[in-house]
Amino acid sequence: MPEFPYSRLRRWPDVEADNLQAHDATDLLLVERALALDVPGSETVVIGDEYGAITLALAAAERSGVRVHQDLATGRRALARNAEELGISGFAPHELDADLLAGARLVLLQLPKALAELEEIADAVARWADPEVVLVAGGRVKHMSLGQNDVLGRSFAHVQAQRAERKSRLLIATAPLPVPESPPFPVSARHGGLELVAHGGAFAGARLDIGTRALLDALDLDGNAGRRVLDLGCGTGALAVSWALASPRDRVVATDRSAAAVASARATASANGVADRVEVTHDDAGSALAAGSFDTVLLNPPFHLGASVHTGAATRLFEAAARLLRPDGELYTVYNSSLGYRAELTRLIGPTEQLRRTPKFTVTRTVRRP
């Protein structure tokens, strides 16, 4: 069997740079373990495959029928593009649900950063997969913790760590435990007049993160009736729903590249009675939204790409805001004060003023130049 051409994989439409690649040693370990096991593709599930390296390597090895779940819209598009470029088919995308896992005897998982996300995934596997399922979870050793073993141990009777190879390690979980009647997610919490709902993979969970709180405190949410407002990278929907509650005649759109965030934002909108006025979409940097169609954009950009600190994700969102705002429209941004984005906001969008600054966060208002 010819060696799979991992080097031909691309991260597009995600950020591409010399220090970022579309596969890692964990992908290779997971593929090698899967190929060593006698499980047909139709009974194999891949979760967390960032750019398609695992799914496509298995499909190329004639493991047809693999089911795959990717949280990020960028990963889904990268998988589709890499499959087209390499001429590979034989896999089926799914959400994290019973259809993904029904009858699965092998689940391959790139370990997520958040323990809450891992808990939701482990419960889903134990809840819906075959009782004889083997869950093979892998990650880079420097990002792994004993907490991951503990989380897996809540859903599986046996969790065994394998010897590290190429700075990566596999965890093997078997014998699913009985699951509670209701899944552990989503969870919810009240913050004043706002009810936040969160799935495991949503940033900050049901907490109101301090960056979002800083931006909310700096906004004047009265008036401006009839405006179109966009929460770009919405997370659990705190900004979008807060705006909708304060300005009932405005139309609000919330978008995020994370499927867990989108599900959370929709649930948050419903919990606060504004689902009819907050449209939530799963998209990459608002790519499906019309240019110049918003009066106001709200943005709390990430500064990580996976486990790497990289400002490219914020730059892509600034460029998206420039495209989506009408001339003289306003962008409100909160970011870590150490990052100093003000000059970049001015360059990409227009004049930028500082509304608030603390040692931790800066809030700015940018007016899109005509």
Side-chain angles (χ1 to χ4, degrees):
M1 180 183 301
E3 185 175 344
F4 184 77
Y6 289 102
S7 62
R8 292 182 57 189
L9 298 176
R10 290 185 54 191
R11 296 166 55 94
W12 183 96
D14 210 344
V15 176
E16 297 189 299
D18 291 341
N19 66 327
L20 300 172
Q21 59 182 10
H23 70 284
D24 64 16
T26 306
D27 293 326
L28 274 62
L29 282 180
L30 288 168
V31 170
E32 290 167 4
R33 178 56 62 97
L35 294 178
L37 298 172
D38 187 22
V39 178
S42 60
E43 298 176 2
T44 300
V45 169
V46 178
I47 301 176
D49 192 356
E50 287 192 302
Y51 305 103
I54 304 168
T55 304
L56 296 179
L58 292 179
E62 299 183 355
R63 296 291 179 93
S64 181
V66 170
R67 286 165 279 173
V68 56
H69 170 70
Q70 297 165 289
D71 180 61
L72 300 184
T74 44
R76 297 180 186 195
R77 292 182 182 182
L79 169 58
R81 175 166 180 149
N82 285 325
E84 182 179 2
E85 290 292 320
L86 295 174
I88 296 174
S89 58
F91 60 90
H94 287 266
E95 298 302 331
L96 183 63
D97 56 20
D99 287 342
L100 171 74
L101 290 158
R105 293 198 298 117
L106 174 63
V107 176
L108 306 174
L109 169 66
Q110 265 276 9
L111 283 164
K113 288 173 58 179
L115 292 180
E117 184 173 4
L118 178 58
E119 181 181 359
E120 186 167 19
I121 292 169
D123 175 84
V125 176
R127 186 175 298 274
W128 292 315
D130 188 276
E132 301 298 319
V133 67
V134 176
L135 170 61
V136 183
R140 303 294 280 170
V141 171
K142 63 181 179 180
H143 301 308
M144 296 178 72
S145 70
L146 291 176
Q148 293 169 327
N149 300 53
D150 294 338
V151 169
L152 289 173
R154 296 174 201 161
S155 294
F156 294 87
H158 306 296
V159 179
Q160 184 176 16
Q162 307 297 290
R163 179 178 298 177
E165 298 182 50
R166 289 165 275 180
K167 300 182 180 180
S168 292
R169 188 190 304 277
L170 299 180
L171 303 176
I172 311 298
T174 56
L177 296 170
V179 296
E181 183 177 349
S182 298
F185 292 91
V187 296
S188 63
R190 180 160 290 278
H191 306 272
L194 177 68
E195 182 84 10
L196 281 184
V197 184
H199 285 269
F203 173 72
R207 294 179 290 111
L208 187 62
D209 77 275
I210 54 178
T212 296
R213 189 185 300 275
L215 181 51
L216 282 172
D217 289 344
L219 291 174
D220 180 5
L221 294 178
D222 296 325
N224 295 326
R227 291 169 64 88
R228 281 181 52 82
V229 179
L230 173 65
D231 184 356
L232 183 59
C234 63
T236 56
L239 292 171
V241 171
S242 294
W243 190 290
L245 288 170
S247 302
R249 288 194 289 175
D250 288 355
R251 301 299 301 180
V252 182
V253 175
T255 187
D256 203 291
R257 68 176 189 154
S258 163
V262 167
S264 302
R266 286 175 178 154
T268 295
S270 294
N272 290 275
V274 294
D276 60 329
R277 291 188 286 111
V278 177
E279 177 189 356
V280 186
T281 68
H282 188 210
D283 193 9
D284 171 31
S287 64
L289 301 172
S293 59
F294 291 94
D295 302 292
T296 301
V297 172
L298 312 173
L299 177 58
N300 180 3
F303 58 94
H304 281 84
L305 284 172
S308 303
V309 176
H310 200 285
T311 59
T315 298
R316 291 187 74 239
L317 292 173
F318 297 160
E319 293 170 343
R323 182 182 70 85
L324 294 166
L325 279 168
R326 64 163 175 77
D328 297 323
E330 300 172 315
L331 168 67
Y332 292 92
T333 311
V334 60
Y335 52 85
N336 284 34
S337 295
S338 61
L339 295 174
Y341 282 141
R342 186 172 176 179
E344 186 171 17
L345 287 164
T346 299
R347 176 178 63 84
L348 292 173
I349 303 171
T352 300
E353 63 175 324
Q354 178 179 297
L355 300 181
R356 180 170 298 183
R357 183 181 176 89
T358 69
K360 182 68 174 177
F361 289 106
T362 295
V363 179
T364 56
R365 172 181 175 269
T366 303
V367 178
R368 188 191 184 287
R369 61 176 62 89

